[in-house]
Amino acid sequence: MSKFQPLTFYDRNGGAGRGAGKPSYELMPFRFTELDPQRFVLSNQAGEYLVLPKKDLYDFAEHRLDATTEAYLDLRSHQFLIDAHTNVAKELLAIKVRTRYERVANFTGLHIFVVTLRCEHSCPYCQVSRQSEDSSAFDMTSEQADAAIDLALRSPSKAIKIEFQGGEPLLNFPLIRYIVAETKRKAQGSRELGFVIATNLAIVTDEVLEFCREEGVCISTSLDGPQDLHNKNRPRTGRDSYQRAISGIKRARDAIGKENVSALMTTTEASLGHVKEIIDEYLALDFKGIFLRPLSPYGFAIKTKSYRAYSVDRWLEFYKEGLDYVIELNRKGIAFREFYASMVLKKMLTFEDPGYVDLMSPAGVALGAIVYNYDGAVFASDEARMLAEMGDDKFRLGHVLENTYEEIFLNETLLEALEASFSYSVPMCTDCAFEPYCGADPVQHWGLQKDFVGRKTESEFCARNMAIFKHLIKLMESDAGIKRLFTTWAQ
Ligand code: SF4
């Protein structure tokens, strides 16, 4: 049996080759993937899924499924089949599909300004090549910032978020002040503007926090876990990165409110085996969740060989243990969530798109986020500029002072990457039941395989995501309490 069932138009009244009394229905397009030897996951174009025993799937595909069974009723109510009782199914499915792709029309909402490449840390897995703190040759200029603001405000998106990154962006704080003021002045209230500084907080001052409070700027910081682990991952003179991060988080919360300060962790080899302690650290600081992130294959992560320091399987073991622990905490009445699972669940259980760049198809490069680098170069994503730091500028789309908006966003490489990586038509993805939840990561696949699409059988992106999708569905199928919990995460 082919993995992809072609749309079959069938006589709804039991004729055309079917004997009287046999069930009669049309199949709507769907895909299926084995969940375990007994069960399959089916998904439709709108991203709704069902889990069916193998026999029910075969009966369904062969038009033999009894119309009185629970499986039949589920398939009908989720628009996997049409029969005489469901004359609005196609319209309903079309509305759901339109809702799912609505974000594409919004175009680029996230604009990343790398205001400096300088940093006072020297983290072994850092994804950009940090430069010494005092070399201002690695700072963005106000002229470049002006041009980048103009490009950002050309985006049709009603909501524009500007994120300041580095290096350590606070080393060029005067430019952050300038960009916030100029963006507000130029937008003249026509957009919903949001600003975030991604900082390690080591050099945060009262002046910075006062500015964030007055201008409505959020802070996103890094916290890899307990003191020993964090300081091992984030070496700096004085070995006090953890202390500075903790005190910075407290001061920032006092200044701008707890809800405006978030933290991100990165999993290094030293993190493996310590997921509970890492989560406990986030709980102790009263964060409401954690994003268990693997290393990206860029920059110093590869240069120092730390990327290859653990396999996909070891990371999955870490991730699943962490997820189990988070579920256990919720069972004890502690509301806490894992953010990657929450984003995937939003795609599985609702028709909304969380807008996470790595889980978009067409790919999120330039459509979801774009990067204005410290030297004025424009990159299709944060990973694309990291790739360029390693010597491959394939995804350099232009320069803020040399190219127009049209030249940048209609760049040939970008269009080619977007078209080639649309997972709906990519080999293997086109047959995969998880395609509606997955993404296309042309930058990572180009970086590792020199191909926008990538060979999925060798792709770590595919292996990691496929395992997570299956794991989340198995958990929901095995326990109604987990399904209820995951539904609240999705919403
Ligand atoms: S990348 Fe892998 S998991 Fe994702 S849709 Fe393609 S085949 Fe499925």
Side-chain angles (χ1 to χ4, degrees):
M1 182 165 56
S2 151
K3 265 188 139 191
F4 193 95
Q5 293 299 322
L7 182 61
T8 306
F9 293 100
Y10 215 82
D11 178 355
R12 295 179 187 190
N13 299 313
R18 295 280 169 196
K22 292 265 186 182
S24 179
Y25 50 83
E26 292 177 36
L27 304 184
M28 297 291 279
F30 72 96
R31 286 170 279 201
F32 58 94
T33 297
E34 193 178 273
L35 186 62
D36 55 37
Q38 286 80 40
R39 298 176 299 171
F40 281 82
V41 180
L42 286 70
S43 69
N44 66 16
Q45 286 173 308
E48 288 181 282
Y49 80 85
L50 287 176
V51 175
L52 285 189
K54 192 190 258 183
K55 179 177 181 312
D56 284 354
L57 170 64
Y58 277 60
D59 284 349
F60 167 53
E62 297 293 329
H63 291 256
R64 292 192 307 254
L65 194 62
D66 187 327
T68 62
T69 59
E70 197 181 327
Y72 184 98
L73 298 174
D74 274 349
L75 287 160
R76 187 173 68 188
S77 65
H78 292 95
Q79 293 88 47
F80 285 81
L81 66 83
I82 298 179
D83 64 12
H85 301 285
T86 54
N87 55 6
V88 295
K90 284 180 189 167
E91 290 74 13
L92 206 54
L93 189 62
I95 291 169
K96 289 176 179 176
V97 173
R98 269 202 299 275
T99 308
R100 181 164 283 272
Y101 283 102
E102 245 168 23
R103 64 157 182 87
V104 178
N106 287 334
F107 216 59
T108 321
L110 176 61
H111 297 259
I112 296 171
F113 284 58
V114 181
V115 289
T116 181
L117 209 58
R118 293 180 287 145
C119 187
E120 28 61 69
H121 275 61
S122 52
C123 309
Y125 63 83
C126 179
Q127 293 150 347
V128 292
S129 297
R130 78 279 181 189
Q131 304 295 334
S132 73
E133 221 177 303
D134 54 1
S135 56
S136 52
F138 296 100
D139 285 2
M140 183 183 270
T141 65
S142 56
E143 187 190 11
Q144 290 162 342
D146 277 331
I149 294 167
D150 291 342
L151 288 169
L153 292 176
R154 284 284 307 275
S155 168
S157 178
K158 284 196 190 93
I160 301 280
K161 183 187 274 187
I162 289 183
E163 182 170 310
F164 299 105
Q165 286 197 13
E168 167 49 56
L170 291 183
L171 287 169
N172 196 3
F173 178 58
L175 191 71
I176 293 178
R177 265 188 184 285
Y178 177 79
I179 292 170
V180 170
E182 277 301 285
T183 308
K184 287 183 175 178
R185 186 184 70 76
K186 288 180 173 177
Q188 294 185 329
S190 64
R191 309 296 179 93
E192 289 165 36
L193 295 176
F195 300 93
V196 182
I197 303 176
T199 167
N200 59 40
L201 287 172
I203 57 165
V204 71
T205 61
D206 289 342
E207 182 199 358
V208 169
L209 293 174
E210 181 57 19
F211 162 79
C212 291
R213 195 185 60 74
E214 280 175 3
E215 300 294 337
V217 177
C218 298
I219 284 180
S220 169
T221 193
S222 309
L223 183 66
D224 285 351
Q227 181 167 339
D228 283 359
L229 178 61
H230 184 91
N231 282 346
K232 190 171 179 186
N233 280 347
R234 298 177 182 273
R236 74 184 300 282
T237 311
R239 296 186 52 77
D240 59 354
S241 182
Y242 173 84
Q243 289 84 345
R244 284 175 179 256
I246 298 299
S247 116
I249 288 169
K250 288 183 179 149
R251 286 167 62 204
R253 283 175 165 175
D254 286 346
I256 62 176
K258 197 181 263 188
E259 65 287 0
N260 294 316
V261 182
S262 59
L264 273 177
M265 61 79 67
T266 299
T267 311
T268 63
E269 198 189 17
S271 318
L272 302 179
H274 300 287
V275 72
K276 289 186 181 173
E277 291 102 295
I278 294 168
I279 292 169
D280 284 343
E281 183 72 31
Y282 274 68
L283 270 176
L285 286 165
D286 203 21
F287 283 110
K288 298 301 173 206
I290 192 167
F291 188 165
L292 296 171
R293 289 197 312 162
L295 272 177
S296 287
Y298 306 101
F300 275 86
I302 273 186
K303 283 183 191 170
T304 59
K305 304 268 187 283
S306 46
Y307 179 63
R308 290 283 160 199
Y310 57 83
S311 64
V312 172
D313 285 347
R314 284 185 75 198
W315 184 81
L316 283 168
E317 204 181 300
F318 169 88
Y319 181 82
K320 288 178 185 175
E321 188 190 347
L323 192 60
D324 283 350
Y325 186 50
V326 171
I327 292 169
E328 195 186 310
L329 290 171
N330 279 276
R331 284 204 172 106
K332 289 179 185 161
I334 300 167
F336 193 80
R337 63 179 67 191
E338 199 287 310
F339 291 128
Y340 192 71
S342 301
M343 286 188 288
V344 172
L345 291 164
K346 188 176 266 301
K347 296 185 106 183
M348 284 181 171
L349 303 175
T350 77
F351 299 107
E352 289 171 48
D353 191 302
Y356 182 57
V357 173
D358 289 354
L359 289 179
M360 285 183 179
S361 173
V365 288
L367 294 184
I370 193 138
V371 177
Y372 310 103
N373 210 8
Y374 70 97
D375 58 358
V378 183
F379 288 101
S381 71
D382 208 20
E383 289 73 22
R385 70 135 171 159
M386 295 167 189
L387 197 61
E389 290 291 328
M390 294 168 64
D392 183 345
D393 63 357
K394 180 77 177 168
F395 292 90
R396 184 186 187 276
L397 304 181
H399 191 279
V400 293
L401 299 178
E402 294 160 18
N403 297 100
T404 65
Y405 180 86
E406 287 75 14
E407 285 167 347
I408 289 169
F409 284 93
L410 295 176
N411 175 288
E412 278 300 317
T413 300
L414 174 64
L415 297 184
E416 201 190 321
L418 288 174
E419 191 180 344
S421 62
F422 183 43
S423 57
Y424 205 83
S425 55
V426 158
M428 211 168 128
C429 302
T430 192
D431 286 339
C432 176
F434 306 115
E435 185 277 334
Y437 320 128
C438 203
D441 196 338
V443 180
Q444 182 170 140
H445 285 117
W446 179 266
L448 295 174
Q449 299 185 1
K450 290 288 170 270
D451 183 298
F452 293 139
V453 175
R455 296 175 298 280
K456 303 301 181 198
T457 48
E458 299 165 24
S459 158
E460 296 191 358
F461 173 89
C462 176
R464 197 173 55 241
N465 279 313
M466 176 99 67
I468 291 175
F469 301 146
K470 285 188 177 180
H471 188 63
L472 292 175
I473 289 177
K474 280 183 185 171
L475 285 172
M476 288 191 281
E477 289 294 307
S478 68
D479 186 327
I482 293 181
K483 175 94 186 250
R484 280 196 297 278
L485 173 67
F486 281 4
T487 304
T488 63
W489 289 9
Q491 288 157 1

